[in-house]
Amino acid sequence: MSYPGYPPTGYPPFPGYPPAGQESSFPPPGQYPYPSGFPPMGGGAYPPAPSGGYPGAGGYPAPGGYPAPGGYPGAPQAGGAPSYPGVPPGQGFGAPPGAAGFPGYPQPPSQSYGGSPAQVPMPGGFPGGQMPSQYPGGQVPFPNQPAAMTQGYQGTIRPASNFDALKDAEILRKAMKGFGTDEQAIVDVVANRSNDQRQKIKAAFKTMYGKDLIKDLKSELSGNMEELILALFMPSTYYDAWSLRNAMKGAGTQERVLIEILCTRTNQEIREIVRCYGSEFGRDLEQDIRSDTSGHFERLLVSMCQGNRDENQNVNHQMAQEDAQRLFQAGEGRLGTDESCFNMVLATRSFPQLKATMEAYSRMANRDLVSSVCREFSGNVESGLKAILQCALSRPAFFAERLYASMKGAGTDDSTLVRIVVTRSEIDLVQIKQMFNQLYQKTLGTTIASDTSGDYRKLLLAIVGQ
């Protein structure tokens, strides 16, 4: 499908894109099942987004919200060396093919760029009680996705062994029956079940009692605890789609939410989000983005929601050098900025390829690419481009910074805290915790405990783990 006026004429040509086999891998129509139990957006059944948007909205990151000067972890400094502590001078990422990874980079040996587990939790409660036949065993792999995309990261929540959806549904029923609510029993069940298992509990609850678990939970809970519980019981794809819709409905737009989701998800995740957004809310995600954003930021987000980034994990060092030269000539090396060139490279190259491009750029320009983006851009498009580059360096570090910013200073951005903890709990929250500790010399759990209270704190800490 083409869009009038986009992309603008004058995009630099680039070889090998889109990758073979990724021209169209949407699931066939009607294949996206979604269990009942979530009210339509217009009903206002979910907690409303905080008025006034998120702290620092309109510019990323919020002033003073991130680590001390010295750059983003892993960002190549002048001369090409990453800024991580303990890295020998002269070592950096972008090792030639066959080399053993990226020396000195604090992460698991098998780096993941997909930000997603190898299996996608699918909601329970399918029509007729059956999983789609094309997904044996109820597990849905990421098609056309390299194994390297799904290895090396670890969530804090794993599927419970000896899982019994009927027993868990009974526990939740007893916790909500009679006078008062046994919140600890709810915490013990919800925090120790995978998203897929929670969907099965929800279906079992309706089968056993003829009642909707979500409605019962909403009637028993309130405030941040309610928002957290509802997020945990949403299928992961639906939660992303719901968050995007919530960020754009009503007056104002929460641009930071759009950036956080669209600039960090895999191709498969984005395509499923786009489909879910249309089927659940009866709206076109791309059209909503065009209506709520403008200019180069709009173009960047439209590029992101295509879900067509190259996901080949092999690095082409010649292309990295050429892209680095192209970006320099589009920014620092000229009067003004060729924004379309930055959009083309950052929206299409794989994250490992972008990482190598950043290394080549720092050697050539004696300045890291993130700094050049800050000099050449401003506002939301700067935030979006920086988010992509930061994820190329370290996705866990990106989310660790977002978590820190949500709790820094007076007040807490609870919606951001809930969204990141829930969405990363089965993907890479272990690595996010490690990076948080490295960046801020305190644990994520300690920071959450000091910024939250009551059952809300208990559930967050149970998910994060200590």
Side-chain angles (χ1 to χ4, degrees), residues 55-75:
Y60 180 87
Y66 295 148
Y72 196 84

PDB file of all heavy atoms in Angstrom, residues 55-75:
ATOM      1  N   PRO A  55       5.290  12.465  32.612  1.00  0.00           N
ATOM      2  CA  PRO A  55       6.335  13.420  32.919  1.00  0.00           C
ATOM      3  C   PRO A  55       7.331  13.500  31.787  1.00  0.00           C
ATOM      4  O   PRO A  55       7.786  12.495  31.288  1.00  0.00           O
ATOM      5  CB  PRO A  55       6.986  12.809  34.183  1.00  0.00           C
ATOM      6  CG  PRO A  55       5.938  11.936  34.762  1.00  0.00           C
ATOM      7  CD  PRO A  55       5.125  11.428  33.628  1.00  0.00           C
ATOM      8  N   GLY A  56       7.640  14.671  31.405  1.00  0.00           N
ATOM      9  CA  GLY A  56       8.632  14.847  30.354  1.00  0.00           C
ATOM     10  C   GLY A  56       8.079  14.663  28.977  1.00  0.00           C
ATOM     11  O   GLY A  56       8.812  14.595  28.010  1.00  0.00           O
ATOM     12  N   ALA A  57       6.735  14.525  28.842  1.00  0.00           N
ATOM     13  CA  ALA A  57       6.175  14.318  27.517  1.00  0.00           C
ATOM     14  C   ALA A  57       6.543  15.467  26.612  1.00  0.00           C
ATOM     15  O   ALA A  57       6.544  16.612  26.995  1.00  0.00           O
ATOM     16  CB  ALA A  57       4.651  14.191  27.604  1.00  0.00           C
ATOM     17  N   GLY A  58       6.813  15.096  25.378  1.00  0.00           N
ATOM     18  CA  GLY A  58       7.200  16.115  24.416  1.00  0.00           C
ATOM     19  C   GLY A  58       8.697  16.261  24.338  1.00  0.00           C
ATOM     20  O   GLY A  58       9.209  16.991  23.519  1.00  0.00           O
ATOM     21  N   GLY A  59       9.433  15.521  25.141  1.00  0.00           N
ATOM     22  CA  GLY A  59      10.882  15.590  25.046  1.00  0.00           C
ATOM     23  C   GLY A  59      11.477  14.451  25.815  1.00  0.00           C
ATOM     24  O   GLY A  59      11.129  14.219  26.963  1.00  0.00           O
ATOM     25  N   TYR A  60      12.356  13.695  25.229  1.00  0.00           N
ATOM     26  CA  TYR A  60      12.901  12.520  25.888  1.00  0.00           C
ATOM     27  C   TYR A  60      14.403  12.616  25.910  1.00  0.00           C
ATOM     28  O   TYR A  60      15.008  12.978  24.948  1.00  0.00           O
ATOM     29  CB  TYR A  60      12.502  11.265  25.104  1.00  0.00           C
ATOM     30  CG  TYR A  60      13.028  10.010  25.719  1.00  0.00           C
ATOM     31  CD1 TYR A  60      12.314   9.354  26.716  1.00  0.00           C
ATOM     32  CD2 TYR A  60      14.275   9.495  25.331  1.00  0.00           C
ATOM     33  CE1 TYR A  60      12.817   8.205  27.278  1.00  0.00           C
ATOM     34  CE2 TYR A  60      14.767   8.357  25.891  1.00  0.00           C
ATOM     35  CZ  TYR A  60      14.036   7.712  26.847  1.00  0.00           C
ATOM     36  OH  TYR A  60      14.534   6.564  27.413  1.00  0.00           O
ATOM     37  N   PRO A  61      15.003  12.291  27.012  1.00  0.00           N
ATOM     38  CA  PRO A  61      14.410  11.965  28.289  1.00  0.00           C
ATOM     39  C   PRO A  61      14.082  13.210  29.110  1.00  0.00           C
ATOM     40  O   PRO A  61      14.529  14.298  28.784  1.00  0.00           O
ATOM     41  CB  PRO A  61      15.533  11.167  28.970  1.00  0.00           C
ATOM     42  CG  PRO A  61      16.767  11.765  28.403  1.00  0.00           C
ATOM     43  CD  PRO A  61      16.430  12.141  26.977  1.00  0.00           C
ATOM     44  N   ALA A  62      13.363  13.025  30.222  1.00  0.00           N
ATOM     45  CA  ALA A  62      13.043  14.161  31.072  1.00  0.00           C
ATOM     46  C   ALA A  62      14.327  14.714  31.671  1.00  0.00           C
ATOM     47  O   ALA A  62      15.264  13.984  31.952  1.00  0.00           O
ATOM     48  CB  ALA A  62      12.103  13.704  32.187  1.00  0.00           C
ATOM     49  N   PRO A  63      14.386  16.031  31.861  1.00  0.00           N
ATOM     50  CA  PRO A  63      15.613  16.651  32.358  1.00  0.00           C
ATOM     51  C   PRO A  63      16.070  16.000  33.649  1.00  0.00           C
ATOM     52  O   PRO A  63      15.286  15.841  34.586  1.00  0.00           O
ATOM     53  CB  PRO A  63      15.204  18.108  32.578  1.00  0.00           C
ATOM     54  CG  PRO A  63      14.046  18.312  31.667  1.00  0.00           C
ATOM     55  CD  PRO A  63      13.332  17.012  31.609  1.00  0.00           C
ATOM     56  N   GLY A  64      17.297  15.612  33.676  1.00  0.00           N
ATOM     57  CA  GLY A  64      17.869  15.057  34.884  1.00  0.00           C
ATOM     58  C   GLY A  64      17.417  13.646  35.192  1.00  0.00           C
ATOM     59  O   GLY A  64      17.739  13.101  36.220  1.00  0.00           O
ATOM     60  N   GLY A  65      16.616  13.049  34.282  1.00  0.00           N
ATOM     61  CA  GLY A  65      16.035  11.752  34.585  1.00  0.00           C
ATOM     62  C   GLY A  65      16.967  10.601  34.347  1.00  0.00           C
ATOM     63  O   GLY A  65      16.682   9.506  34.759  1.00  0.00           O
ATOM     64  N   TYR A  66      18.084  10.844  33.663  1.00  0.00           N
ATOM     65  CA  TYR A  66      18.911   9.722  33.255  1.00  0.00           C
ATOM     66  C   TYR A  66      20.326   9.842  33.811  1.00  0.00           C
ATOM     67  O   TYR A  66      20.653  10.757  34.529  1.00  0.00           O
ATOM     68  CB  TYR A  66      18.875   9.621  31.734  1.00  0.00           C
ATOM     69  CG  TYR A  66      17.507   9.277  31.241  1.00  0.00           C
ATOM     70  CD1 TYR A  66      17.044   9.727  30.026  1.00  0.00           C
ATOM     71  CD2 TYR A  66      16.647   8.513  32.026  1.00  0.00           C
ATOM     72  CE1 TYR A  66      15.779   9.410  29.579  1.00  0.00           C
ATOM     73  CE2 TYR A  66      15.378   8.202  31.588  1.00  0.00           C
ATOM     74  CZ  TYR A  66      14.959   8.655  30.372  1.00  0.00           C
ATOM     75  OH  TYR A  66      13.717   8.342  29.939  1.00  0.00           O
ATOM     76  N   PRO A  67      21.161   8.878  33.484  1.00  0.00           N
ATOM     77  CA  PRO A  67      22.457   8.841  34.148  1.00  0.00           C
ATOM     78  C   PRO A  67      23.292  10.093  33.922  1.00  0.00           C
ATOM     79  O   PRO A  67      23.042  10.891  33.037  1.00  0.00           O
ATOM     80  CB  PRO A  67      23.129   7.610  33.504  1.00  0.00           C
ATOM     81  CG  PRO A  67      22.022   6.819  32.935  1.00  0.00           C
ATOM     82  CD  PRO A  67      20.968   7.802  32.560  1.00  0.00           C
ATOM     83  N   ALA A  68      24.316  10.199  34.758  1.00  0.00           N
ATOM     84  CA  ALA A  68      25.203  11.352  34.685  1.00  0.00           C
ATOM     85  C   ALA A  68      25.881  11.403  33.333  1.00  0.00           C
ATOM     86  O   ALA A  68      25.917  10.432  32.598  1.00  0.00           O
ATOM     87  CB  ALA A  68      26.263  11.225  35.784  1.00  0.00           C
ATOM     88  N   PRO A  69      26.426  12.579  32.975  1.00  0.00           N
ATOM     89  CA  PRO A  69      27.094  12.715  31.683  1.00  0.00           C
ATOM     90  C   PRO A  69      28.114  11.613  31.482  1.00  0.00           C
ATOM     91  O   PRO A  69      28.737  11.147  32.414  1.00  0.00           O
ATOM     92  CB  PRO A  69      27.752  14.101  31.785  1.00  0.00           C
ATOM     93  CG  PRO A  69      26.897  14.842  32.750  1.00  0.00           C
ATOM     94  CD  PRO A  69      26.413  13.823  33.741  1.00  0.00           C
ATOM     95  N   GLY A  70      28.320  11.273  30.250  1.00  0.00           N
ATOM     96  CA  GLY A  70      29.184  10.155  29.931  1.00  0.00           C
ATOM     97  C   GLY A  70      28.521   9.293  28.890  1.00  0.00           C
ATOM     98  O   GLY A  70      29.111   8.422  28.303  1.00  0.00           O
ATOM     99  N   GLY A  71      27.261   9.602  28.650  1.00  0.00           N
ATOM    100  CA  GLY A  71      26.601   8.964  27.522  1.00  0.00           C
ATOM    101  C   GLY A  71      25.786   7.751  27.904  1.00  0.00           C
ATOM    102  O   GLY A  71      25.830   7.256  29.015  1.00  0.00           O
ATOM    103  N   TYR A  72      24.998   7.295  26.959  1.00  0.00           N
ATOM    104  CA  TYR A  72      24.174   6.107  27.143  1.00  0.00           C
ATOM    105  C   TYR A  72      25.076   4.887  27.235  1.00  0.00           C
ATOM    106  O   TYR A  72      26.095   4.807  26.564  1.00  0.00           O
ATOM    107  CB  TYR A  72      23.226   5.975  25.943  1.00  0.00           C
ATOM    108  CG  TYR A  72      22.103   5.033  26.208  1.00  0.00           C
ATOM    109  CD1 TYR A  72      20.967   5.484  26.862  1.00  0.00           C
ATOM    110  CD2 TYR A  72      22.187   3.705  25.833  1.00  0.00           C
ATOM    111  CE1 TYR A  72      19.932   4.614  27.119  1.00  0.00           C
ATOM    112  CE2 TYR A  72      21.160   2.839  26.098  1.00  0.00           C
ATOM    113  CZ  TYR A  72      20.030   3.290  26.740  1.00  0.00           C
ATOM    114  OH  TYR A  72      19.012   2.427  26.989  1.00  0.00           O
ATOM    115  N   PRO A  73      24.733   3.921  28.126  1.00  0.00           N
ATOM    116  CA  PRO A  73      25.603   2.745  28.256  1.00  0.00           C
ATOM    117  C   PRO A  73      25.847   2.097  26.911  1.00  0.00           C
ATOM    118  O   PRO A  73      24.912   1.755  26.211  1.00  0.00           O
ATOM    119  CB  PRO A  73      24.779   1.824  29.179  1.00  0.00           C
ATOM    120  CG  PRO A  73      23.879   2.743  29.921  1.00  0.00           C
ATOM    121  CD  PRO A  73      23.583   3.881  28.982  1.00  0.00           C
ATOM    122  N   GLY A  74      27.112   1.927  26.589  1.00  0.00           N
ATOM    123  CA  GLY A  74      27.453   1.278  25.341  1.00  0.00           C
ATOM    124  C   GLY A  74      27.574   2.227  24.175  1.00  0.00           C
ATOM    125  O   GLY A  74      27.985   1.833  23.103  1.00  0.00           O
ATOM    126  N   ALA A  75      27.200   3.510  24.357  1.00  0.00           N
ATOM    127  CA  ALA A  75      27.305   4.442  23.247  1.00  0.00           C
ATOM    128  C   ALA A  75      28.761   4.716  22.952  1.00  0.00           C
ATOM    129  O   ALA A  75      29.539   4.987  23.855  1.00  0.00           O
ATOM    130  CB  ALA A  75      26.595   5.748  23.584  1.00  0.00           C
TER     131      ALA A  75
END
